[in-house]
Amino acid sequence: AVVSTQSTGEIVCCALECVNEMLKEMKGGLIADEVYFDSLVELVKDVLQHKTACQKDSEDDTFCDDVEDDSELTTVLVDFAGSILPSLATAMGGQKFTPYFKNFLPLIIPKEGRKRSERSLAAGTLAEICQAMKESINPFAENMYSVFMRGIKDNSDEVISNSVFGLGVLIESSGATLAPRYPEILGILSTFLKQDGDRRTIDNVLGAVARMIITNPGSLPLDTIFPTFVKWLPLQEDYEENITVYSSIYGLLSSNCQVAIEQLPTLIPLMITQLANKKVDDETRAKLTEILQ
């Protein structure tokens, strides 16, 4: 009720943030009540469609879903509402969330001409939903693939980076479904590997390739791509992708992949250096230690 009727955006943002935190903490317990769950779904829809009281057109006091508001508050509001969806998917499980995602998807994908922040948020939200739904994203794989590929061709580094991340997560979640598209994907991702390129995007490219290695290494020309993959390490901006990157390396070495073994003279000093890097988290540090042992 607060979100639907409150005209002050800051209060609405706080309410949405509280709902999301409760959802993460209580998971299914928060949505066990069918009436509450239905209300939660409807309020997220209302925010995404700009139909809450604080999103009304102030000129004529009517709801307007195509008003372009450049304020940071509006962006944050949609961001908080969108972030509830992956939390819902996690709480419900991907399979149960599937019919709801089908209805939300058209609301998340930004319409043509939307501002950069909306395009970036859309890519990020869809990526997080892919992660939460896991293999249940498969029925939407082709549609999501098109959305992320469109984002990769955007003129904004932020949108491109989020879209590359989303593509990698989609590859991982959908299993072998997108394996036939690996050559096309690798060709496009390789265009971002350049010295003057956006470093976060490069890190996300490495993360996407790592997810391909983890998911379906037999569908990759490892003798060609792995040396290039190693060449662009370590990650420099998006450290959250570290665990994925080093897990892919660990998987190849564990299977006695010759291409990976040949890169050990480069990998060993690199990984030792990363162990001393204060920006590397404990999970990644443990994986590096495991590889080096």
Side-chain angles (χ1 to χ4, degrees):
V2 171
V3 175
S4 299
T5 61
Q6 176 57 243
S7 60
T8 305
E10 288 88 345
I11 295 176
V12 176
C13 285
C14 289
L16 288 169
E17 185 177 21
C18 287
V19 168
N20 196 22
E21 289 305 313
M22 290 169 63
L23 192 55
K24 289 177 181 178
E25 186 70 25
M26 298 174 64
K27 295 183 169 61
L30 186 66
I31 55 176
D33 184 293
E34 189 174 334
V35 174
Y36 180 83
F37 173 74
D38 290 342
S39 299
L40 181 58
V41 169
E42 287 306 311
L43 80 83
V44 173
K45 283 183 181 178
D46 285 346
V47 174
L48 293 179
Q49 295 179 94
H50 296 195
K51 288 185 177 180
T52 60
C54 66
Q55 294 169 300
K56 284 192 297 184
D57 184 344
S58 59
E59 295 297 320
D60 59 12
D61 203 38
T62 58
F63 293 108
C64 183
D65 64 359
D66 60 355
V67 173
E68 279 290 341
D69 187 346
D70 289 329
S71 72
E72 182 181 353
L73 181 60
T74 297
T75 301
V76 173
L77 187 65
V78 173
D79 187 16
F80 278 133
S83 67
I84 289 175
L85 296 180
S87 299
L88 264 179
T90 298
M92 297 174 67
Q95 192 169 359
K96 289 184 179 179
F97 185 70
T98 295
Y100 297 96
F101 180 57
K102 184 177 181 180
N103 293 327
F104 276 117
L105 186 56
L107 305 181
I108 302 170
I109 299 173
K111 298 175 183 176
E112 188 174 349
R114 287 296 190 182
K115 57 185 180 178
R116 176 195 55 77
S117 59
E118 290 188 27
R119 302 195 307 274
S120 177
L121 283 175
T125 299
L126 289 172
E128 290 176 6
I129 292 173
C130 280
Q131 280 187 309
M133 289 183 69
K134 300 178 180 176
E135 66 274 3
S136 297
I137 200 68
N138 245 318
F140 306 95
E142 289 297 330
N143 192 354
M144 297 285 278
Y145 178 77
S146 299
V147 172
F148 288 133
M149 290 300 277
R150 185 163 63 248
I152 286 173
K153 298 173 184 175
D154 200 277
N155 57 10
S156 160
D157 286 339
E158 185 179 340
V159 177
I160 293 170
S161 180
N162 283 352
S163 298
V164 170
F165 172 70
L167 181 61
V169 170
L170 177 63
I171 289 167
E172 185 175 32
S173 297
S174 59
T177 302
L178 295 176
R181 296 188 178 273
Y182 281 9
E184 177 186 11
I185 295 169
L186 289 170
I188 292 173
L189 294 183
S190 67
T191 64
F192 297 107
L193 298 178
K194 48 190 178 183
Q195 292 298 331
D196 60 346
D198 176 68
R199 187 60 220 197
R200 179 165 290 271
T201 298
I202 292 172
D203 288 354
N204 286 134
V205 166
L206 297 175
V209 173
R211 287 183 165 86
M212 296 167 80
I213 292 171
I214 292 169
T215 305
N216 209 348
S219 296
L220 293 168
L222 287 173
D223 56 337
T224 303
I225 69 165
F226 192 71
T228 302
F229 176 77
V230 172
K231 173 187 173 183
W232 286 93
L233 293 176
L235 303 185
Q236 295 180 23
E237 285 196 24
D238 194 347
Y239 289 95
E240 290 184 10
E241 289 290 70
N242 261 331
I243 187 61
T244 302
V245 165
Y246 293 110
S247 292
S248 72
I249 293 171
Y250 177 78
L252 290 178
L253 291 171
S254 297
S255 63
N256 294 314
C257 172
Q258 188 59 36
V259 177
I261 291 171
E262 290 172 359
Q263 291 297 314
L264 281 174
T266 301
L267 284 169
I268 289 173
L270 183 151
M271 290 188 288
I272 291 172
T273 301
Q274 289 306 294
L275 278 173
N277 187 343
K278 294 180 179 179
K279 294 181 180 180
V280 172
D281 61 33
D282 291 341
E283 185 181 13
T284 301
R285 203 178 302 278
K287 181 59 68 177
L288 287 167
T289 301
E290 190 175 8
I291 296 171
L292 289 168
Q293 288 175 342

